Amino acid sequence: MIALAWLEDSESRQEFEAYFKQKNKNFDLSFFDSSEGLYLKARELRPHCILIELGAKNSLVVFNLVRDLRHLLGMLPLIIILGSPKDSELLMHSVTTGANFFLSPPIDLMFLDSQLTRFSNQDGHFSPFKFRRVPSGGIAVQTKTQIHLNTLTNRGIWFHSKHLLAKGFIFNFQLSLGAPLENFDLTMRVISNDLSEEGHRYFAEYFELSEETRKRITYLIKTSS
Amino acid sequence: MKEMNKVIFFGNSPSFKELHQYIRKQNLKSSLELGGLTALENYKEEGIDLFVIDLALPKEEAYLILDGLYKDFHFSECKVVVCISHRSQLKRFRSFAFGVHDYMSPLIEKEEFLSKIKSLIHPDKNTIQMKWDKQVTIQFEANLTHISESGCLMETKAKFHEGAECTLNCTLFHDIGSHQDILGSASFSTPSPTRLFVNQIDFKNMGDSYRDSLRKLIWKWKDV
């Protein structure tokens, strides 16, 4: 299998070189110093794994590269972003532009191992023998899941979720507020995401909310607290 | 005496300049930069409260400024609002990725703009909030693309956490006679080239008879 890496930090280079040589011998790892070099090689070799370090690079270049690689190579290559935990917002965004996941130092090699092993079996997951394509290309499916709501404001809500929700993700939920309870069917849009100790933390604003409802919610928040 | 708040504008369109003129008259210390990443250097040592950036700047300069701001100011020390000249969702989402706090149209009413700026500089003054510690159910639409008798693949802007539970409801389940939500468990998720995530959901509570009907339905598709 082929792995390509664009890493700035020489320690990271050594660490991954040693890892792929000693532990994951199936992978043939090559290093690059530019996004163009990596992209051209990826087009030629169709790699199975790509490592990109955010570091001091222009994050725009990294996002564009991830997006282009995903577009070029489809779903199968494992794209991993490396970066400092202080760049959590950028790291999360890299996943929404096409990376599979991100890692921060100290690199959890056991986790990496498990992901690479899983990736090796990925073909089985999407095998046409396992799933059949829906004739019309797709069917709308109403999906429900749980989030943990933390704070309610007149602008939107703060909440935690185990899922990674991209900015712009739109969802509905019913808010019961006040006494006697008043029910509001609200549409929300995620506008910020970040990492916290409890997991992914989000702020979602009210989306296309009428001024009247906003005023009512503001009043109920004021009087409830 | 409290120092005046400082707002820096990056942009050169006429409507943008008008907004800057208005803010100047409102006892807010502000400067207008016509563009250029190098101009950012001048503010490194200053305490800036807010940057207002026009995304219509040529050659993606606005994004370079956003990137520079992130690196030099880390966004924790200042707020950033972008001005989007048309209804481009893509531009909005892209700018959010740089840590932008809010967005606005250049056609925004001046009073509303001032209120937005004030609420960004002093968020606690204008935001009313209350603690609300509880689990709630959210609902959203996804696109079911592949199916088997034991699970399905669906595309959405959410990357499901492995093992997380969800319920699904679509016309396909009605076709096989099931009118209740199907309980599922996420088992795999990967990004797709279309900036969505493909999530594999395994069915958990589908009865044998429904499973059988689904199998028959899928086999019919084979013949199509």
Side-chain angles (χ1 to χ4, degrees), chain A residues 61-73:
Chain A
V61 173
V62 174
F63 295 148
N64 286 341
L65 175 64
V66 171
R67 188 197 58 204
D68 293 346
L69 286 170
R70 185 59 70 194
H71 197 256
L72 174 74
L73 303 169

Side-chain angles (χ1 to χ4, degrees), chain A residues 1-3 19-29 48 116-117 120:
Chain A
M1 291 197 185
I2 297 161
Y19 170 77
F20 279 108
K21 267 189 183 163
Q22 289 163 14
K23 280 200 163 182
N24 243 309
K25 289 177 184 170
N26 289 339
F27 282 89
D28 180 17
L29 178 67
H48 304 90
L116 287 170
T117 309
S120 308

Side-chain angles (χ1 to χ4, degrees), chain A residues 153-155 177 213-223, chain B residues 128:
Chain A
T153 82
N154 56 330
R155 293 179 54 233
L177 189 63
T213 312
R214 187 185 296 275
K215 277 180 185 165
R216 187 69 192 145
I217 290 175
T218 306
Y219 171 78
L220 290 170
I221 294 172
K222 260 185 189 172
T223 51
Chain B
I128 303 155

Side-chain angles (χ1 to χ4, degrees), chain A residues 174-208:
Chain A
Q174 192 178 63
L175 175 70
S176 301
L177 189 63
L181 284 177
E182 286 184 49
N183 293 327
F184 299 92
D185 289 315
L186 301 171
T187 302
M188 312 297 298
R189 177 169 57 188
V190 172
I191 61 164
S192 84
N193 52 17
D194 208 346
L195 289 173
S196 71
E197 284 177 8
E198 296 95 48
H200 301 117
R201 186 168 188 254
Y202 300 93
F203 181 74
E205 66 178 4
Y206 302 119
F207 185 58
E208 293 175 348

Side-chain angles (χ1 to χ4, degrees), chain A residues 4 7 16 20 49-53 66 70 77-82 94 98-103 111-112 115-116:
Chain A
L4 307 181
L7 308 174
F16 280 103
F20 279 108
C49 176
I50 297 166
L51 294 157
I52 302 169
E53 189 180 19
V66 171
R70 185 59 70 194
L78 195 62
I79 301 177
I80 306 165
I81 303 295
L82 309 167
S94 67
N100 290 72
F101 58 90
F102 54 83
L103 295 170
F111 173 75
L112 183 61
Q115 292 298 315
L116 287 170

